[in-house]
Amino acid sequence: MILYDYILSASCYKVRLMAALLSRPLQLKAVNFHPLKEHKSADLLALNPAGTLPILVDGPLVLTDTAQILRHLVSSQAPDWQSDQDAQWLAFARTLNDTLGAARLHDILSYDVDIAQARKDGVKQLRILEEHLSEQRIDGLGFVTGDRPTIADIACFPNTALAPDGGISLDPYPSIRLWLRDIRALPGFIEMPGIHRLHELATPPGASL
């Protein structure tokens, strides 16, 4: 499988992370998204007329929607990574991309974004996620859809973890931070710029000093 990839893209990272957790090899083709805008080149527009990343090529199959790519990676070999609730959380992940992701693009790549609105909407989504994860933990469930990770977790993880890149602190959200630590602890987890191993150094949320 070939992934047309930008190292700083949260959406591309979702694909790299999912493949790593499944031990599925990817051939990465780096795309100079910024500043050269290679994703708008004729060759890549031939693969994806929308001019977006990621692009996954698996034999004759070309996929350009991140949710579809995640589903494709787990569809045949990893049924345990799916749940009946994934669809609603994949939609929620798109909202995270449109809010937290937009704020991050503004701050790190100088995208023309209404930054005040993006941050306001991003905080609203974090509060929704925090409330949900808090309720999950009360029920003894550590992940978005239950007691094990699914593609819902992988879809929501990057933009949430990268929220500080867009000027939005995660300090007020202890359940989110515990969930981030649980994702980072999964066998096969890989990092990306902006997502570090701070969980191995910092005091866990709720722990006494």
Side-chain angles (χ1 to χ4, degrees):
M1 289 184 292
I2 300 171
L3 175 66
Y4 290 84
D5 178 53
Y6 178 53
I7 190 65
L8 294 179
S9 163
S11 294
C12 291
Y13 173 57
K14 294 175 189 182
V15 180
R16 298 197 306 271
L17 176 57
M18 188 76 260
L21 294 172
L22 298 173
S23 299
R24 300 198 65 179
L26 288 176
Q27 179 183 347
L28 300 180
K29 288 190 176 293
V31 177
N32 192 318
F33 182 90
H34 180 84
L36 296 186
K37 298 184 178 180
E38 286 182 348
H39 56 299
K40 302 293 186 181
S41 67
D43 287 347
L44 289 188
L45 286 174
L47 290 174
N48 180 14
T52 59
L53 295 176
I55 302 170
L56 184 78
V57 179
D58 187 4
L61 183 66
V62 179
L63 297 174
T64 60
D65 177 78
T66 307
Q68 285 185 331
I69 294 173
L70 295 178
R71 287 193 177 104
H72 176 69
L73 289 174
V74 305
S75 60
S76 58
Q77 298 185 13
D80 288 348
W81 279 90
Q82 302 176 73
S83 83
D84 293 339
Q85 302 172 52
D86 285 337
Q88 71 185 73
W89 288 103
L90 290 171
F92 182 78
R94 293 189 186 95
T95 304
L96 294 176
N97 191 65
D98 292 342
T99 56
L100 301 177
R104 178 171 173 265
L105 287 175
H106 174 276
D107 283 13
I108 71 170
L109 297 181
S110 301
Y111 268 47
D112 184 13
V113 170
D114 184 341
I115 187 60
Q117 189 65 49
R119 287 175 178 156
K120 179 181 178 181
D121 292 342
V123 166
K124 179 180 178 180
Q125 301 311 308
L126 287 176
R127 288 172 177 166
I128 292 171
L129 183 58
E130 172 70 17
E131 181 178 357
H132 173 73
L133 291 172
S134 177
E135 291 173 353
Q136 290 285 88
R137 289 195 173 274
I138 290 173
D139 293 335
L141 307 173
F143 296 97
V144 168
T145 65
D147 61 357
R148 57 180 172 80
T150 70
I151 57 174
D153 296 274
I154 306 310
C156 293
F157 174 78
N159 280 303
T160 303
L162 293 165
D165 280 358
I168 302 173
S169 174
L170 294 175
D171 289 349
Y173 310 107
S175 294
I176 286 177
R177 289 185 287 123
L178 283 168
W179 169 70
L180 295 178
R181 289 166 60 91
D182 289 343
I183 297 294
R184 290 180 175 118
L186 293 174
F189 176 83
I190 57 172
E191 299 179 6
M192 73 164 286
I195 297 180
H196 310 293
R197 293 187 179 275
L198 296 179
H199 65 293
E200 296 177 356
L201 305 174
T203 302
S208 58
L209 296 175

